Amino acid sequence: MATVAEATAAVTLPALTHEEIARYSRHLILPEVGMEGQQRLKAAKVLCVGTGGLGAPLLLYLAAAGVGTLGLVDFDTVDASNLHRQVIHSTPDVGRPKLDSAADKLQALNPGVKIVKHNTMLTSANAMEILKDYDIVADGTDNFQTRYLVNDASVLSGKPNVYASIFRFEGQASVFGAPDGPCYRCLYPEPPPPGLVPSCAEGGVLGILPGLLGVIQATEVIKLILSGNGEAKGESLVGRLLLVDALGMRFRELKLRKNPDCPVCGTHPTVTKLIDYDQFCGITPPAKETTQVASVQNGVPQIGPEELKRRQTAGQDVFVLDVREPHEYQIANIGGHLIPLNDLPKRLSELDREKNIVVHCKSGGRSQKASEFLQQQGFQHVENLAGGITAWSDKVDPSIPKY
Ligand SMILES: [Zn+2]
């Protein structure tokens, strides 16, 4: 008679076919993986939120390793500016849904893996329902709302959250939401004020960096699966924050403790169901595609690119102030006077208070801040170019390259 453990293993772990034994032979001869480990990988269900920079290497390696079910959450389409880092997508995929592009690559790499496509933005309304079919969540998102949402959903559903984030040349990784480990909120109880931390779209990112971090995530996911008893094979990143500095090529780590006062995983949690993460992060949800521009934001009048063009064509005296960085100006400019946002306070003397000033940046965020600052400094005639030089390229002059 089989022991209980053997019976359970026989019921829960799928057998490997001859093809699978051949495919995974280099895994199988590792005693730390072996037949049982590979069967655990085959049985595992991993949800990857985002199929971008982190998701690309993460998903490719999980598929290659034989993780049986991979759930993909994305609603975006492939853009040319994604390709320098999102290596799961190729040039012919530009314009395709990322889900389809990613699923094709994964299926070609390993036809034995089941790909589940969740064609949606992860939200408070759907996160618990989507997570319930998976064992592990891997967070490949690039914004704070979704990061807190993934964290809370992982803690509330008792599933580990393999986390990484990247910016410019630096990244961090950890495993949150393990039974005795801390969560993302233990580390960062509050999101930063909106606009304080620039996104990769604003601040840039070295293309290889998500590759480094995504592979670290994949490693942690696989170690969690191999153990099969709730603890990772070897030593996991539970309770540790790995800091990666690609420019200096240095890896450091910080010890993380579970915070007993954590609102979601502490002893007396106050967050017991998913909340409104846009509100929590202090941001207005992205407006539906519209040509209407809000006329005033935080006291700053907004104008669209067509209106700026109209005024220039009509010969009106408009002073265009560009608050981007000099290297961005070199990529593309519309002839504005360049004063980077951070230099503005010490270069106010270059501006004429009597003139109508239209401030622009890449997409309208930094120029909004600059406009608010100028108003505080007593400038009366300041307007923000909504959508920035990107909108100008879209709506007025397509010869201006978008970056
Ligand atoms: Zn916590």
Side-chain angles (χ1 to χ4, degrees):
M1 260 189 68
T3 64
V4 173
E6 278 165 348
T8 314
V11 171
T12 54
L13 290 181
L16 299 187
T17 64
H18 284 16
E19 288 77 19
E20 286 169 332
I21 289 173
R23 177 182 280 262
Y24 304 119
S25 65
R26 302 300 187 279
H27 260 174
L28 299 176
I29 57 178
L30 285 173
E32 291 81 356
V33 182
M35 279 300 275
E36 188 187 319
Q38 195 63 48
Q39 288 173 279
R40 289 195 189 285
L41 289 168
K42 185 174 179 177
K45 298 175 179 174
V46 178
L47 181 71
C48 185
V49 185
T51 61
L54 292 166
L58 172 62
L59 285 162
L60 286 168
Y61 274 103
L62 294 183
V67 170
T69 304
L70 289 172
L72 282 51
V73 184
D74 215 315
F75 60 95
D76 213 353
T77 51
V78 181
D79 184 83
S81 67
N82 300 148
L83 299 177
H84 97 307
R85 64 193 181 285
Q86 303 184 9
V87 296
I88 202 166
H89 310 299
S90 307
T91 306
D93 297 316
V94 170
R96 290 182 76 198
K98 285 188 177 177
L99 272 187
D100 295 344
S101 162
D104 287 354
K105 308 303 158 37
L106 298 172
Q107 217 68 89
L109 173 61
N110 192 342
V113 169
K114 182 181 171 199
I115 308 293
V116 182
K117 297 192 264 188
H118 301 279
N119 182 17
T120 175
M121 181 189 278
L122 196 73
T123 66
S124 302
N126 64 22
M128 295 304 282
E129 180 63 22
I130 292 176
L131 255 70
K132 80 172 177 12
D133 294 328
Y134 297 91
D135 313 314
I136 296 171
V137 193
D139 179 3
T141 57
D142 59 358
N143 64 75
F144 288 99
Q145 313 86 283
T146 319
R147 198 166 291 152
Y148 279 96
L149 166 63
V150 170
N151 179 74
D152 292 0
S154 124
V155 172
L156 294 175
S157 57
K159 300 182 177 178
N161 166 22
V162 180
Y163 153 86
S165 70
I166 48 166
F167 182 61
R168 293 187 170 156
F169 297 94
E170 294 178 9
Q172 43 183 255
S174 190
V175 175
F176 295 123
D180 295 314
C183 79
Y184 183 74
R185 282 185 190 251
C186 295
L187 175 62
Y188 300 112
E190 298 283 336
L196 185 74
V197 180
S199 67
C200 287
E202 282 175 337
V205 62
L206 187 72
I208 186 68
L209 188 70
L212 270 172
L213 272 298
V215 166
I216 289 170
Q217 282 180 289
T219 313
E220 291 302 297
V221 168
I222 287 173
K223 283 159 58 190
L224 286 173
I225 296 169
L226 288 180
S227 66
N229 60 4
E231 284 176 23
K233 200 73 158 186
E235 218 176 309
S236 84
L237 280 177
V238 172
R240 294 188 291 152
L241 183 70
L242 182 69
L243 302 171
V244 177
D245 164 16
L247 214 47
M249 200 43 90
R250 285 193 179 83
F251 290 69
R252 294 186 297 131
E253 63 175 74
L254 301 176
K255 269 216 155 13
L256 300 180
R257 284 201 178 77
K258 198 176 170 87
N259 174 10
D261 298 323
C262 174
V264 66
C265 80
T267 37
H268 301 288
T270 50
V271 177
T272 52
K273 59 179 172 48
L274 299 177
I275 59 172
D276 181 337
Y277 293 88
D278 286 328
Q279 192 186 43
F280 179 61
C281 294
I283 48 159
T284 354
K288 297 262 180 323
E289 186 68 37
T290 169
T291 48
Q292 286 294 312
V293 172
S295 53
V296 178
Q297 205 175 55
N298 259 0
V300 177
Q302 311 283 310
I303 74 164
E306 298 97 332
E307 171 61 14
L308 174 59
K309 179 68 183 171
R310 191 194 62 73
R311 291 186 203 172
Q312 287 176 327
T313 311
Q316 292 182 17
D317 189 15
V318 186
F319 184 86
V320 177
L321 173 64
D322 183 343
V323 294
R324 298 173 303 150
E325 298 297 315
H327 64 272
E328 295 180 84
Y329 194 88
Q330 284 177 6
I331 303 168
N333 71 77
I334 54 173
H337 183 81
L338 181 67
I339 306 181
L341 177 61
N342 289 335
D343 294 348
L344 201 50
K346 54 178 190 277
R347 292 177 60 184
L348 287 179
S349 62
E350 294 172 34
L351 302 175
D352 185 342
R353 287 171 190 271
E354 300 308 313
K355 283 204 167 167
N356 288 309
I357 300 176
V358 173
V359 191
H360 89 81
C361 62
K362 184 186 173 200
S363 51
R366 281 173 286 174
S367 54
Q368 172 68 23
K369 275 186 243 174
S371 305
E372 290 173 20
F373 172 75
L374 289 175
Q375 283 190 337
Q376 288 157 14
Q377 299 305 310
F379 286 78
Q380 307 277 346
H381 316 293
V382 182
E383 291 166 299
N384 181 34
L385 181 65
I389 195 171
T390 307
W392 179 273
S393 172
D394 282 337
K395 293 178 178 151
V396 170
D397 182 1
S399 77
I400 298 291
K402 289 197 282 185
Y403 62 97

